[in-house]
């Protein structure tokens, strides 16, 4: 799988570390967050069969984080 | 009982679905079939359908590497996997079908001092739970499995190992077919090519499932769909802390008997056994990214072959015949989710991740109990979905890590 690093271009996936599904917001008011809210934040992530917005870091390259959208069936990648 | 049947002529009917059932199980993999069998056998519930989107046992049940063991670290896991191993020990007779269960021993290699402390801790934890476990020195490793390379002149020398002699392998297809045959005999309908497309919710009450073969009413619906669990759960608004990943495996060509046990190494990341037919069966860790593609990245295969050649120099001339991947359902604590859901009469069994095959009879046993009683069996109480809210996780990353 070739992953398009926004800074280095297409590189093999072995150079990258997966950051999981993206757009996970820290609880806005952490002091007030109850257990179910923390559970959602810590453990529950989207797991679609299809397009998934996710985070990657180019560990063996520029070491910068970025977002992309990848199809979990075809592995086709489109920029976020 | 007499000798188990070598290979029966008739396995199961292919019935048309009835309009309604007491219990509908979604997913005819090993767990779904075992659940149906124990519902009929232990609880007298025979008005059961097992719905399968594809063909029977064609998912992870056809793709796993068939390792069976119970040497997990924590009490909760040890209890449920040991229950399963005890069922395996009599399963051929129970199902009257020789499933080629072979207790040839599962050897975990140890390569560093940290690894050694973990290994010894696990041996002691296992023994306290009544599970057989032994610590082996490097020389004892070599004596037990002569083709392992224990030379100090490698990057990660083998300095010892842990051994569960009661661990081993079984023939995965036969296991599924044996459960299917007996469940079918007791009246369970196994319905292939039947894909669930939604749930029938009448005023918030679960009434059955919509499928490509029409509405099938059910008093109870039990999900058992491994890597596709969240797709089903999404249809009914149930959130599951599950991520689906490819787990790759491979086989060599058929070889003369050369490897007498199952060998695993978490450090150099490979596990290998030799199937009854003769091929070397290997696997390693999951691919890191979410995927439903049933294929993974080539470097994962390359790494595990490098590891295998370092541990077993004799394998260097063997050839890879096939590689493939299954879609595994990984939970945050590497432990299964098995029990009730917030939706009445909807039950969940998922999250077995990389290690579901060994749990097939045990999971079926306790899941059937949970469905029959509407309450969990004592063995699966700790594996409730609520643990992600209460924080009572069962962190088996160490014992589940690479080892399936």
């Amino acid at each position: 799988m070739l992953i398009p690093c926004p800074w280095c271009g297409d590189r093999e996936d072995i150079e990258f570390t997966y950051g999981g599904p993206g757009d996970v917001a820290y609880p806005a008011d952490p002091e007030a967050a109850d257990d179910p809210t923390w559970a959602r934040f810590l453990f529950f992530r989207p797991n679609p069969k299809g397009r998934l917005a996710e985070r990657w870091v180019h560990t063996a390259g520029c070491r910068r984080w970025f977002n992309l959208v990848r199809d979990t069936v075809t592995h086709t990648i489109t920029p976020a | 009982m007499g000798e188990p049947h070598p290979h029966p002529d008739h396995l199961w009917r292919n019935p048309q679905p009835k309009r309604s059932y007491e219990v509908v199980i979604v997913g005819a993999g090993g767990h779904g079939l075992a659940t149906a069998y124990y519902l009929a056998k232990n609880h007298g519930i025979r008005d059961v359908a097992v719905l399968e989107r594809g063909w029977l046992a064609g998912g992870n049940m056809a793709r796993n590497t068939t390792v069976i063991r119970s040497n997990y670290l924590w009490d909760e896991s040890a209890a449920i996997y040991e229950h399963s191993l005890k069922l395996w020990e009599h399963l051929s007779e129970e199902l009257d079908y020789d499933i080629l269960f072979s207790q040839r021993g599962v050897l975990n290699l140890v390569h560093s001092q940290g690894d050694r402390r973990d290994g010894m801790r696990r041996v002691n934890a296992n023994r306290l739970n009544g599970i057989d476990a032994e610590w082996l020195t490097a020389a004892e490793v070599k004596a037990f499995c002569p083709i392992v390379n224990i030379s100090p002149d490698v990057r990660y020398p083998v300095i010892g190992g842990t051994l569960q002699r009661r661990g081993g392998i079984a023939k995965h297809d036969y296991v599924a077919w044996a459960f299917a045959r007996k469940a079918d005999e007791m009246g369970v309908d196994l319905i292939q090519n039947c894909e669930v497309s939604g749930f029938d919710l009448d005023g918030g009450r679960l009434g059955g499932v919509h499928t490509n073969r029409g509405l099938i009413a059910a008093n109870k619906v039990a999900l058992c769909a491994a890597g596709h669990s969240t797709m089903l759960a999404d249809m009914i608004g149930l959130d599951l802390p599950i991520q689906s990943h490819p787990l790759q495996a491979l086989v060599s060509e058929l070889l003369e008997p050369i490897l007498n046990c199952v060998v695993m190494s978490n450090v150099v990341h490979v596990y290998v056994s030799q199937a009854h037919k003769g091929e070397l069966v290997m696997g390693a860790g999951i691919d890191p990214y979410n995927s439903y593609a049933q294929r993974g990245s080539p470097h994962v295969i390359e790494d595990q072959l490098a590891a295998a050649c370092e541990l077993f120099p004799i394998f260097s001339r063997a050839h890879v015949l096939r590689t493939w991947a299954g879609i595994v359902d990984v939970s945050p604590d590497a432990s299964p989710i098995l029990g009730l859901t917030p939706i009445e009469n909807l039950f969940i069994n998922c999250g077995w991740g990389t290690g579901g095959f060994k749990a097939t009879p045990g999971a079926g046993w306790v899941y059937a109990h949970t469905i029959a009683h509407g309450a969990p069996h004592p063995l699966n109480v700790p594996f409730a979905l609520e643990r992600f809210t209460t924080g009572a996780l069962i962190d088996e990353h160490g014992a589940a890590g690479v080892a399936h």
Side-chain angles (χ1 to χ4, degrees), chain B residues 72-348:
Chain B
Y72 281 71
L73 178 64
W74 299 110
D75 295 351
E76 298 87 345
S77 320
I80 197 166
Y81 286 106
E82 177 63 11
H83 174 62
S84 194
L85 180 50
K86 287 193 170 125
L87 292 171
W88 281 111
E89 288 175 326
H90 302 284
L91 207 55
S92 286
E93 295 80 4
E94 162 97 22
L95 300 175
D96 188 26
Y97 192 147
D98 187 359
I99 58 166
L100 304 181
F101 178 55
S102 160
Q103 290 179 294
R104 55 184 64 185
V106 173
L107 180 62
N108 280 79
L109 299 177
V110 161
H111 303 265
S112 70
Q113 293 306 319
D115 210 15
R116 178 195 193 104
R117 282 189 288 272
D118 289 345
M120 286 186 160
R121 179 187 180 198
R122 187 133 68 94
V123 164
N124 289 326
N126 290 159
R127 286 182 170 180
L128 287 169
N129 275 316
I131 292 168
D132 70 304
E134 292 166 50
W135 171 260
L136 303 186
T137 63
E140 289 167 339
V141 166
K142 185 78 177 167
F144 184 73
C145 183
I147 62 170
V148 173
N149 178 19
I150 59 164
S151 160
D153 298 327
V154 294
R155 177 65 185 85
Y156 298 104
V158 174
I159 63 170
T162 66
L163 174 64
Q164 182 176 27
R165 290 185 194 268
R166 288 166 60 241
I169 59 172
K171 176 78 179 148
H172 52 100
D173 289 333
Y174 292 180
V175 175
W177 299 341
F179 273 119
R181 171 169 163 263
K182 280 292 172 188
D184 174 88
E185 262 179 36
M186 290 188 284
V188 171
D189 282 356
L190 307 175
I191 299 165
Q192 305 179 78
N193 301 308
C194 183
E195 181 169 6
V196 170
S197 54
F199 292 85
D200 181 49
L201 275 174
D202 185 14
R205 199 186 163 281
L206 183 61
V209 292
H210 296 285
T211 76
N212 58 341
R213 296 169 73 170
L215 172 67
I216 300 176
N219 288 332
K220 296 175 176 180
V221 177
L223 305 183
C224 214
H228 283 74
S229 294
T230 59
M231 296 195 52
L232 288 169
D234 284 348
M235 293 175 192
I236 196 168
L238 170 67
D239 287 329
L240 295 175
I242 294 291
Q243 299 277 286
S244 297
H245 290 267
L247 175 64
Q248 301 191 68
L250 63 93
V251 289
S252 72
E253 71 272 52
L254 306 187
L255 302 169
E256 292 296 315
I258 184 66
L259 180 60
N260 59 334
C261 60
V262 181
V263 180
M264 303 180 159
S265 169
N266 284 8
V267 171
V268 301
H269 231 64
V270 71
Y271 60 90
V272 56
S273 66
Q274 187 169 18
H276 294 84
K277 215 163 54 176
E279 65 267 51
L280 296 170
V281 184
M282 291 187 202
I286 56 170
D287 280 58
Y289 46 81
N290 291 33
S291 175
Y292 288 84
Q294 291 188 325
R295 61 188 164 82
S297 295
H299 64 81
V300 175
I301 297 291
E302 198 178 346
D303 287 349
Q304 76 192 54
L305 289 173
C309 288
E310 178 159 299
L311 294 175
F312 303 98
I314 196 173
F315 291 171
S316 64
R317 299 291 180 91
H319 301 94
V320 173
L321 198 67
R322 280 181 294 127
T323 76
W324 66 90
I327 302 305
V328 298
D329 41 338
V330 177
S331 71
D333 58 358
S335 287
I337 299 168
L338 209 177
L340 313 181
T341 72
I343 299 152
E344 199 180 350
N345 294 325
L346 181 71
F347 302 87
I348 184 74

Side-chain angles (χ1 to χ4, degrees), chain A residues 1 13-14 18 21 35-36 39-40 43-49 52 56 70 72-75, chain B residues 53 228 230-231 239-244 288-293 295 297 299 332 388-389 393:
Chain A
M1 184 163 64
D13 64 316
I14 195 171
Y18 189 52
D35 287 351
R40 286 206 69 73
F43 300 126
F44 290 74
R45 296 288 182 274
N47 187 34
K49 188 173 187 172
L52 174 64
W56 288 82
R70 189 178 54 92
T72 59
V73 181
T74 64
H75 295 176
Chain B
R53 182 178 71 121
H228 283 74
T230 59
M231 296 195 52
D239 287 329
L240 295 175
I242 294 291
Q243 299 277 286
S244 297
Y289 46 81
N290 291 33
S291 175
Y292 288 84
R295 61 188 164 82
S297 295
H299 64 81
F388 299 99
T389 306
L393 303 185

